[in-house]
Amino acid sequence: MKKIIVKNSGYIELPRVVDERDGVLSIMEGNRDIPFEIKRVYYINHLENCHSVRGKHAHKTLKQVIFCINGSFVLSFDDGTNTQDVLMWRDNVGVLLGPGLWHTMHSFSSGCILLVVASDYYDEADYIRDYDEFMKFAGAMK
Ligand code: TYD
């Protein structure tokens, strides 16, 4: 796995129970496997594959862990200093997106499904949707 160099991030590997022909069970518990209390879960599917782009924002305080539970996609993220692309394809290995990370999800495979767990309820006021504003925010966080 490519080393994550952007700040406020890292891989989260979930424990799994492999039942051979009966499938694989992957588990996430808040404050244990996931480094915060989970207040919200959402998933994204029905993507138009190579044409779809999601994200293009950062959060001021929200923490999230993003998983690709089927297929693959590329997560591009940026802490204002370092930028990085990670190919997401392991269904039990997510990436922590802490505050102040501009992130974009793209290059979705067919049948791709994203699952995201978040530390708080949806709040549009926590979003930074303008890249110049994000760069100011990231500069102030240094
Ligand atoms: P957004 O977070 O921008 O999606 P993504 O990062 O995947 O591209 O959200 C898209 C729309 O969905 C936006 O209008 C807000 C709404 N939304 C909610 O109402 N609740 C939620 O929990 C989320 C994640 C989004």
Side-chain angles (χ1 to χ4, degrees), residues 14-35:
L14 302 179
R16 49 200 329 239
V17 179
V18 181
D19 284 328
E20 300 183 353
R21 291 171 79 182
D22 295 322
V24 179
L25 186 156
S26 302
I27 305 139
M28 61 186 99
E29 295 186 334
N31 287 326
R32 293 182 176 174
D33 311 292
I34 302 297

Side-chain angles (χ1 to χ4, degrees), residues 67-73 88-89 91 109-115:
F67 292 91
C68 180
I69 60 167
N70 198 60
S72 64
F73 70 93
M88 303 286 295
W89 62 275
D91 62 78
S109 73
S110 115
C112 182
I113 304 177
L114 282 63
L115 179 76

Side-chain angles (χ1 to χ4, degrees), residues 40 42 44 53-55 57 103 105 122 124 127 129:
R40 180 165 51 108
Y42 59 94
I44 300 170
V53 180
R54 301 212 57 110
H57 63 255
H103 56 281
M105 295 83 89
Y122 172 72
E124 186 59 37
Y127 280 70
R129 293 195 184 271

Side-chain angles (χ1 to χ4, degrees), residues 47-107:
L47 290 146
E48 281 228 12
N49 307 327
C50 51
H51 302 296
S52 305
V53 180
R54 301 212 57 110
K56 293 191 281 183
H57 63 255
H59 285 281
K60 295 173 190 163
T61 64
L62 189 72
K63 295 176 201 158
Q64 303 189 96
V65 183
I66 183 164
F67 292 91
C68 180
I69 60 167
N70 198 60
S72 64
F73 70 93
V74 176
L75 172 67
S76 299
F77 54 150
D78 175 351
D79 62 17
T81 305
N82 293 302
T83 61
Q84 176 160 22
D85 289 337
V86 172
L87 177 65
M88 303 286 295
W89 62 275
R90 291 180 173 88
D91 62 78
N92 72 317
V93 179
V95 169
L96 174 67
L97 292 173
L101 292 180
W102 186 268
H103 56 281
T104 305
M105 295 83 89
H106 57 93
S107 307

